[in-house]
Amino acid sequence: MSKSSIFTRIATTSPPQTRQRLMRRALVLGGSIAGLFAARVLSDYADEVLIIERDTADGANPRPGVPQGGQVHALLPGGRIQLDRWFPDFSPEAVAAGAVEVSMNATMRMYMGDRPRSAIPRRADGQDVTLLMTRPRLEYLLRRRVEQLPNVSTIHGRATGIHIEAGRVTGVTYEPAGAVVGELRVGADFVVDAMGRGSRLTEWLTAAGVPVPKLERIPIKTNYVTTVIQAANPDALPPFVGFHGAPQGAATGLDGAVILTENGKRMVVLAGYDTDRPTRDLADLRDRATRAYPPPFAEALQDGSVIGEPVSYHLADSRRRDFDTVAEHPARLVSLGDAVSSFNPVYGQGMTSAALQASALAAYLQAGPDLDRPALEYFRSVRTVVDAAWQPLRIADMAQPHLAHLRPRHYPMLARFGNLMLTASQRSVKVRQQLDEVSWLIAHPDQLSRPSFVLSVLTNGLRREPADSKSQN
């Protein structure tokens, strides 16, 4: 089966149908977005699902376990589709709780300092729709839905190790939150590592003498600052404004977004790379927005009152581990979400990728696998999901000067074609839709290499016409 076919099967909009008991107890290590999706999937296949998570969620404040929780988080349309697939009517529930539902085709997106990409009609299938809300609110609503499942419960504590017997995982040790009893052990028939970038699973496996996959890193050195504004006029700007580009003469590229969230709050994020670090000083941020960003950014920072202080975050690298490369991986143990791959956050791929990896877990379990063998089929599907985000973003990140030494030999050709795609997307609805489907993790990037798409890019990208051409080719 081709990668595109595997991705299409995973990213389906069809509601889950199969419910079969394959295990008595499943454990999910970590109760963040990835862990909550995993728990929902496992609830169809286990008598009991236990989530081990040390933090509580109140819907208003970032959890200690999510240090970037106060930053802008984007849920791509592909992620919104999986939310409503696994949690029916989640979108209207979120909107009732203050989330903003928006068609991405009605948003303002700007690239390389050009004019905003012109809007195109909202898709009849609704696959261009996303939800705008803060990370704490999204996680709170999702956790509430998971906790309503009759066979799912939460243990408040921190996982400290795994137990392996005869090549398969049999349980986990953990420290209960606030307790003085020390470590406890809980048995399991299946374990999901959803502990994020800080997962210690590979340490535990190494200590047990089990090979682990190589960690691949791209030193993106992303620096960003988010300012939360109580907007005086929430309708003055589109609900989502995105920018990717570089001012003339700049040493590095810039990224940014202005997002309307619940209760009329607007989040403004300004991002730089390498040694370019936005400060947390509001006057500096306003000056930076005025000098280097399109007008909506400065307007957003002036429209209303600032809530709290601007918060900064630095991410040293994108990273991934391809677990399908290790045949000796213990049976009944899988990883999901940031524990597998963590992307440059400015592209907003993380939560959507986690949701799709959970759907890959469902497809794996639905096939009725031999659980006493390593879940390599699952990991191969996860690799397809990760590649769908990783490969295009890797090429985009290579534009940063401090990553020039990592550029492949054919990078100039790839960069040239990427610029042609952006130009063609201004002139052709079909090119725009196919490019968006890949960017939103609805379709696999392979569709961008099809001869018909390449021809359309070349035809629309090279011709001497204004960018607001109404061509529908």
Side-chain angles (χ1 to χ4, degrees), residues 114-118 422-428 464-470:
D114 284 346
R115 75 187 82 182
R117 292 172 70 181
S118 54
L422 292 179
T423 300
S425 70
Q426 290 275 15
R427 303 172 177 178
S428 166
R464 297 179 179 273
E465 292 187 14
D468 58 355
S469 168
K470 298 183 182 299

Side-chain angles (χ1 to χ4, degrees), residues 27 29 52 158-164 169-175 183-186 191 195 200-201 203-205:
L27 295 181
L29 312 185
I52 299 179
R158 180 177 65 91
T160 56
I162 57 173
H163 293 271
I164 302 173
V169 169
T170 59
V172 169
T173 56
Y174 71 97
E175 292 179 349
E183 290 184 340
L184 298 177
R185 176 175 175 174
V186 57
V191 175
M195 294 183 288
R200 296 180 59 198
L201 177 63
E203 295 179 29
W204 301 339
L205 292 175

Side-chain angles (χ1 to χ4, degrees), residues 15-40:
Q17 301 292 334
T18 301
R19 289 176 172 81
Q20 54 179 323
R21 289 297 184 254
L22 300 179
M23 60 198 78
R24 187 179 68 83
R25 177 186 291 155
L27 295 181
V28 178
L29 312 185
S32 193
I33 300 294
L36 294 171
F37 265 102
R40 168 61 189 91

Side-chain angles (χ1 to χ4, degrees), residues 8 129 134 137 157 188 197 199 245 290 344 367 370 386 399 429 435 449 469:
T8 299
V129 174
T134 59
R137 180 62 60 90
R197 282 176 64 96
S199 171
T290 301
N344 185 344
D370 180 355
V386 172
V429 169
L435 183 58
S449 61
S469 168

Side-chain angles (χ1 to χ4, degrees), residues 25-59:
R25 177 186 291 155
L27 295 181
V28 178
L29 312 185
S32 193
I33 300 294
L36 294 171
F37 265 102
R40 168 61 189 91
V41 168
L42 289 169
S43 70
D44 286 345
Y45 298 92
D47 292 328
E48 178 186 25
V49 180
L50 297 179
I51 303 171
I52 299 179
E53 168 59 50
R54 65 181 182 180
D55 296 335
T56 59
D58 62 10

Side-chain angles (χ1 to χ4, degrees), residues 84 87-99 131 133 140-142 144-145 148:
D84 284 336
F87 302 93
D89 298 321
F90 185 92
S91 288
E93 178 184 338
V95 170
L131 297 170
M133 70 183 93
Y140 172 77
L141 294 175
L142 190 57
R144 189 171 66 180
R145 287 291 295 267
Q148 292 172 355

